[in-house]
Each structure stands twice: as C-alpha cells, then as structure tokens.
Amino acid sequence: MKIKILTLFPEMLEGPLHASILGRAIDAGLIDVELVNIRDYAKNKHNNADDYPFGGGAGMVMLPQPVVDAVEANALPGMRRIYMSPRGRTLNQKIVEEYAQCESLLLLCGHYEGVDQRALDLCIDEELSIGDYVLTGGELAALIVVDAVSRLIPGVLGSDESSADESFSTGLLEYPQYTRPAEFRGMKVPDVLLGGNHADIAAWRRRESLKLTRERRPELLNSAPLTEADREELRRMERADEILRALSSDGVRAERLDMFAETAYAKAWFSRIVPEERRRAARKQCFSGRRHVGWLYQAFEMGYAPSVRGEEAEAKFAAKPEDAALGGGAVLYLNRENLAFRLENPEALSHLPRLALLTAPDFSWSFARSSRGELYSYTKATEANIP
Ligand SMILES: C[S@@+](CC[C@H](N)C(=O)[O-])C[C@H]1O[C@@H](n2cnc3c(N)ncnc32)[C@H](O)[C@@H]1O
C-alpha cells in the first residue's frame, strides 16, 4: 500500500515511522509511506504556507495554493484523499478496514487554525477525525491512521501477532490478557487460562469480551455479530445484576461466582456441597477429563448437591479446614438460570428464603452454606419458607 502524508512538519512523523512494527513493515516494503512537505510547494517570496484569517479571529490559516499544488502534484489515480480534521467522521475499526482495502491513501495534515476551505473543496474526498478533541496539527492523527491501517496489511503483523480477535474486529472489546508470572503481588491469573483446555479458554474469553463490552460500551452490542449462546449469556448477566441489586437492597454483600475462572476455588466448594458418599460419582460427571468448568451447575443440575424443601433441606457436613480460606459465607445457586453467587455476610443468610422470593418468585432455588460445615437447600421459595 502507498500512503502519502502532506504536512508542514514532516519531522513530527519521521521517528514513529521508523520504529517497531511500522518501521519493520516499511523496511520490508509492505507499506510505502512518503512524507511530502507542503512548504516546498509555496510560491511566495518567503515560502509562507499560512496567513491571517479573513474576517479576523485568532491564529493562522494554511494557504490554499501550496496545499492544492501539493495535492495535485502527489495524488495518484484513484487515490483516496483525506483531510485530517476534527469536523470529519470519527475513525473506527470499520473505517480502518475500509482504508486497508485501498491501493493508496493521501493524508493531508492541517496545522494552526486549519486549511483554507477552497483547498478542501477542490482536492479532498473526505474529512476524518480521530476523536472529539482538538490537536495542534493533523500529523499525529495521520500517524494513527497509518498505524491502524498497516496492521491489517497481510504480513505486517507476525504470525504470533494476530488482528483477528482484537477489540472491535469481533465487534466487541477484547478479553483481559495475562502473561508470566502466574501470580503477581498476590493476584492470580484465572485458572482456566493455565488449564490448557482450548475450548474452555475460548469460552472464557468470549464471556469476558461480552462482559467488558456490556459494562463499558453497551452500544457496541447492538451491531456486534452475536450468537444465540452470546445472547443467552448476556441475559444471564442481566439477571445476575438484578439479583445482586435485590440482595444488596437486603443488606447481603454478594458477588457472582465465576466458576470458569476459579477452578481451585470451585473444587473446594465442590466438597462442601456434594455429600461425601456421592462425591466420587459426581466428580466423574462434573470434572470429566480436564474440563472443570461448570462443575457447580452440574453438581446442582445432576442432583448431586442435595436439594430438598424447607426444613428437610438441612443436612450436616463435616467442617473442612479450608473453610476459613474460603472466607465462610455461602453459595447461592439459581437452578433454572445457572447462576451462582457467593454471599459474604453469613448473618444475612436468615433472609434467604425471603430473598429467593424477592428475586425470583416462581423460580427454583438451591442454597448451600458452608460457614459452619452445614448445608441448607431450598428448591422452591414459597410463602411457607419465609421465617
Ligand atoms: C488546531 S486544529 C484546527 C481546529 C479547527 N480550527 C477546528 O476548530 O475545527 C489544527 C489541525 O489539527 C488537525 N486536527 C485537530 N484535531 C483533530 C482531530 N480530532 N482529528 C483529526 N485531525 C485533527 C487538523 O488537521 C486541523 O486542521
């Protein structure tokens, strides 16, 4: 691809074009970036390229003659001629993909108060902004276009640097990335990423992408290509938020349990909620091969975690030493929606049947408590369960 950048300050661009991935791509001839100094086309005595604005006002305006001459002398047939400008349409990955299909681009950088309108009317196809803020000149904006476009040119990224599943190319924001060490300042990398199960990793990443996009850029979800499984996951996230709000309004501090990320944590809970005599069989079903994810759901769904009504729900379990490490509390599991929550303040547990009714009046609930090695479950929240 050929890119020509027309500027009054080529020195602002030279450094970045010779470093890192961009520098390598240019050296390898994958992209050809030419810097054109607009001042070289000025025909007045002092090579002036700007003058005071007609009508008064602060700053200087770039003269039409050097700009038009520079564009006309450098534009190639079919070249897309773009003026970097805060008034243009805002750059996004779709536009970057569109530009990457072009054989050549001309990027005109304004400076001072901008460029005489007649020059733009005469020789520019479109205006492009890089965001709703004002820069001193178009040079940094042009560099951003060059950088984003070149990443999509085949061969520019090495085989280990892919652009395929990044933010925006999937229509979503990217999932969190981690590298060595597996633990840094007490913060652990999610277990699923260390497990080596590619299907689990892909599922976790997709869910994290959905989660981040929903939190930070929910409007992207309207246009992102989503599968039915994605939509289901988004409905569950919605539901989980509703439940967390209901719990919090009742003074229960809770977090949604992410079984996909916390295998070790999940395993410890497993021994809390599945009675010893059923554990072997349950383990076989819920932890088949290296696939640990979803174990809690399966334990409840397959009936390994006892789930009986009201008073009968009480069952005794031996307290395990790891209980303290888990911080006590309880697991609240919403069967029909496959949602699990860790409740932090066990003193709030007496409200649970009422909470179940509050959050999901006609749904089936299971509730497991581990703080004293005891387990209580409710399959149905009914008026009768309310203390
Ligand atoms: C100080 S700005 C001029 C701003 C202009 N007076 C206005 O209010 O729209 C100087 C030059 O910086 C570039 N520029 C500034 N902000 C930009 C943005 N958000 N995107 C692209 N180019 C920008 C343009 O080339 C512009 O001509």
Side-chain angles (χ1 to χ4, degrees):
M1 165 176 274
K2 173 93 186 165
I3 302 177
K4 295 199 187 194
I5 305 179
L6 277 55
T7 167
L8 288 174
F9 299 96
E11 63 275 22
M12 283 181 77
L13 297 150
E14 267 151 14
L17 290 174
H18 289 105
S20 181
I21 298 175
L22 221 46
R24 276 203 318 262
I26 291 172
D27 287 347
L30 296 166
I31 43 170
D32 174 4
V33 183
E34 186 182 332
L35 301 179
V36 175
N37 192 337
I38 297 172
R39 206 176 296 280
D40 293 344
Y41 293 84
K43 287 188 177 143
N44 55 61
K45 217 165 63 189
H46 301 291
N47 275 5
N48 266 353
D50 57 278
D51 209 332
Y52 294 101
F54 280 130
M60 306 296 273
V61 175
M62 285 168 65
L63 295 169
Q65 176 274 315
V67 171
V68 171
D69 283 359
V71 173
E72 286 177 351
N74 286 283
L76 302 171
M79 196 174 216
R80 194 121 167 208
R81 297 165 302 177
I82 302 155
Y83 170 51
M84 306 312 303
S85 155
R87 299 183 307 196
R89 62 174 176 158
T90 311
L91 185 66
N92 58 31
Q93 191 65 19
K94 234 195 182 90
I95 299 178
V96 171
E97 284 164 14
E98 194 184 305
Y99 288 165
Q101 300 300 320
C102 298
E103 268 183 31
S104 59
L105 297 174
L106 181 148
L107 305 176
L108 171 64
C109 306
H111 226 90
Y112 316 119
E113 282 314 306
V115 177
D116 185 292
Q117 184 62 40
R118 291 162 297 180
L120 304 178
D121 292 344
L122 275 170
C123 55
I124 286 300
D125 297 321
E126 63 194 79
E127 299 193 15
L128 180 75
S129 165
I130 58 158
D132 290 345
Y133 42 83
V134 179
L135 305 166
T136 57
E139 288 73 13
L140 294 178
L143 268 179
I144 283 171
V145 174
V146 174
D147 189 284
V149 168
S150 7
R151 307 179 72 253
L152 301 185
I153 308 285
V156 169
L157 296 186
S159 54
D160 56 343
E161 304 154 315
S162 162
S163 59
D165 64 347
E166 273 165 333
S167 294
F168 308 114
S169 34
T170 57
L172 302 172
L173 302 184
E174 199 193 49
Y175 46 82
Q177 299 270 20
Y178 298 89
T179 182
R180 268 176 254 273
E183 185 173 340
F184 177 70
R185 298 205 175 179
M187 298 159 86
K188 289 186 177 147
V189 169
D191 284 340
V192 64
L193 299 179
L194 308 176
N197 183 316
H198 296 296
D200 287 352
I201 292 171
W204 179 84
R205 288 181 165 165
R206 186 73 186 174
R207 280 168 2 101
E208 290 298 311
S209 272
L210 289 168
K211 197 160 96 188
L212 273 178
T213 311
R214 181 174 169 273
E215 280 166 18
R216 298 185 185 177
R217 299 289 305 278
E219 80 283 4
L220 294 177
L221 295 173
N222 299 328
S223 52
L226 298 177
T227 63
E228 194 35 54
D230 292 335
R231 290 184 199 286
E232 173 70 17
E233 191 55 54
L234 287 166
R235 281 194 288 273
R236 280 150 46 80
M237 288 177 191
E238 208 61 49
R239 201 58 200 116
D241 283 355
E242 253 174 55
I243 289 163
L244 286 172
R245 276 195 296 274
L247 290 171
S248 137
S249 73
D250 245 71
V252 182
R253 291 188 301 277
E255 57 167 351
R256 186 179 166 188
L257 272 183
D258 189 347
M259 292 306 148
F260 291 82
E262 300 184 72
T263 311
Y265 184 81
K267 269 185 171 168
W269 273 104
F270 186 82
S271 54
R272 295 290 105 40
I273 65 164
V274 178
E276 192 146 11
E277 65 278 10
R278 300 161 98 175
R279 234 172 262 162
R280 245 179 93 117
R283 199 163 280 136
K284 242 188 181 154
Q285 294 277 352
C286 303
F287 297 91
S288 57
R290 301 173 73 183
R291 199 179 166 82
H292 304 314
V293 295
W295 69 273
L296 179 67
Y297 308 142
Q298 305 215 31
F300 277 103
E301 293 295 351
M302 292 177 166
Y304 289 110
S307 190
V308 283
R309 261 170 207 280
E311 293 290 293
E312 302 160 42
E314 230 167 297
K316 296 279 179 202
F317 285 84
K320 293 277 187 296
E322 312 93 287
D323 269 355
L326 293 174
V331 170
L332 179 64
Y333 174 71
L334 187 51
N335 299 44
R336 205 173 303 177
E337 292 175 324
N338 263 355
L339 286 169
F341 302 89
R342 189 174 78 84
L343 311 181
E344 283 176 28
N345 43 339
E347 71 278 6
L349 298 183
S350 54
H351 301 304
L352 275 174
R354 196 163 58 74
L355 283 175
L357 195 64
L358 186 84
T359 52
D362 54 351
F363 280 8
S364 188
W365 287 78
S366 289
F367 159 56
R369 171 181 179 175
S370 84
S371 54
R372 291 201 309 271
E374 293 165 314
L375 181 134
Y376 304 86
S377 310
Y378 300 91
T379 45
K380 190 89 177 166
T382 64
E383 293 290 341
N385 291 128
I386 300 176

